[in-house]
Amino acid sequence: MSETTPIHAATAQRWHTLTLMEQLANVGSEVERAIRAHDSNNRARFDGALARALELFDLTATDDRWRGPRRREILRGREEFCRLFFDEKVPPDSARGLRRYFLAFATAARYARS
């Protein structure tokens, strides 16, 4: 796979048809996978989940529907996600906060579908 080949090729094509809740619920799934893989020191799973999460963050941030404060919040979430793994001074509750943040979108997306 080249650097420009999207991991979620099929998803990228329909990503812009999803609601913001659905997009962030999917981002949250990859965030959760990355956190779990990192906590269990599973480097291969972590690398895959990290790449997929960043790709979904980027697909969401480039969606033209989310401008202004929504886009800033998406990028802030991406920043916090990266900070969790690559910043030496990570607040102790950072992973828990990210999990809670994305769980709210997963719950709302599931509720909206029912």
Side-chain angles (χ1 to χ4, degrees):
M1 181 179 306
S2 75
E3 288 184 29
T4 58
T5 304
I7 298 168
H8 292 98
T11 302
Q13 293 179 353
R14 68 178 194 94
W15 193 252
H16 301 287
T17 65
L18 299 176
T19 66
L20 183 58
M21 276 189 306
E22 292 169 328
Q23 289 179 348
L24 291 176
N26 284 295
V27 171
S29 294
E30 294 300 340
V31 167
E32 178 64 26
R33 286 185 186 103
I35 292 170
R36 285 183 184 205
H38 186 266
D39 289 349
S40 65
N41 293 319
N42 188 331
R43 187 66 193 194
R45 283 186 182 221
F46 171 71
D47 288 345
L50 176 71
R52 289 188 303 271
L54 291 175
E55 182 181 36
L56 294 182
F57 269 117
D58 292 345
L59 284 172
T60 305
T62 58
D63 191 322
D64 285 337
R65 294 175 294 170
W66 322 137
R67 295 180 182 199
R70 289 180 176 164
R71 182 168 292 154
R72 280 193 295 275
E73 184 171 338
I74 294 162
L75 294 174
R76 181 77 177 117
R78 187 186 195 281
E79 181 181 318
E80 281 302 308
F81 175 67
C82 290
R83 185 174 173 213
L84 178 62
F85 304 115
F86 301 110
D87 190 337
E88 293 177 8
K89 296 178 182 174
V90 178
D93 265 1
S94 187
R96 187 171 153 212
L98 279 171
R99 283 179 160 138
R100 269 199 343 235
Y101 177 79
F102 284 107
L103 179 61
F105 290 106
T107 303
R110 183 171 292 164
Y111 180 76
R113 270 188 266 145
S114 62

